[in-house]
Amino acid sequence: MNTFQAVAVTRLYRMIADQIAGRIRAGDFPRGGRLPSERELAEQLQVSRASIREALIALEIEGYVEVRVGSGVFVTAARDSAAPSAAALDEIGPFDLLEARMLIEPECAALAAQQGSDAQLAAIRKAHEGMSLTDSPGLHDREFHRAIAAACGNAALASSVAHLWDLSLASPVFSRMQDYFVNTKVWAVAHAEHQRILTAILARDPIRARHAMHAHLIGILARLREDFGVFA
């Protein structure tokens, strides 16, 4: 009896990365040469610049290219197509993860403002205050968001938030993107945004809490999409 073969769902950025890698292997982009800009690649492939950025960072992790801040993206090697890929993960892209968080976390913040216990709100405050006192703000950033989810009173929503964070933390592409676009100045901005979320939740104002969380996540997306001269 004939059997079906498993169908793999390939992420868009992975398909883009594979196309560019194929061009590099074919010699269309020689070693040491500069790739077209992020904007040019997006126009040629008819995709978003966010997807191009994810693809380029995946290629850097795999060793095909090098990102040089202020200069662009340069080819470092024409890998053998049969060689194992260090980042052939077909993982969910960073921007998809952030967009999913935008659908869930603002409602968690609103529910936390309405239903969170005094102890749960204290935990949110503690996570926020810890972020300003540590050399590892990412750890307290995660605790802040998870504390809000825990205070929303809905276990399914809290579990969804935790899962999205786990996917983000396990993503080499997300990690590399943060290395380029998240610095001390960015953490200071995020801390100020957290303060607005915290203030709204402590005031038991669900509408303001929802809006503050949405604005924070929009801000993260915007910061990760900035060029900083890297992919101009």
Side-chain angles (χ1 to χ4, degrees), residues 16 33 58 63 66 79 89 96 114 116 122 129 137 140 142 150 152 154 157 186 188 200-201 214 217 221 224 228:
I16 296 167
E66 176 188 359
R79 290 165 50 96
L89 305 174
D96 281 353
Q114 290 177 301
E129 292 173 347
H140 291 273
R142 182 188 187 192
C152 80
N154 185 303
L157 287 175
V186 168
I201 291 175
H214 186 265
L217 294 169
L221 277 169
L224 291 181
F228 293 130

Side-chain angles (χ1 to χ4, degrees), residues 57-80:
I57 291 177
L59 289 172
E60 183 182 41
I61 294 170
E62 293 178 331
Y64 281 102
V65 302
E66 176 188 359
V67 175
R68 300 178 190 170
V69 176
S71 299
V73 181
F74 292 80
V75 177
T76 57
R79 290 165 50 96
D80 186 339

Side-chain angles (χ1 to χ4, degrees), residues 107-108 110-117 120 147-158:
E107 294 308 313
C108 287
L111 289 169
Q114 290 177 301
Q115 302 182 31
S117 67
Q120 288 171 327
I148 291 172
C152 80
N154 185 303
L157 287 175

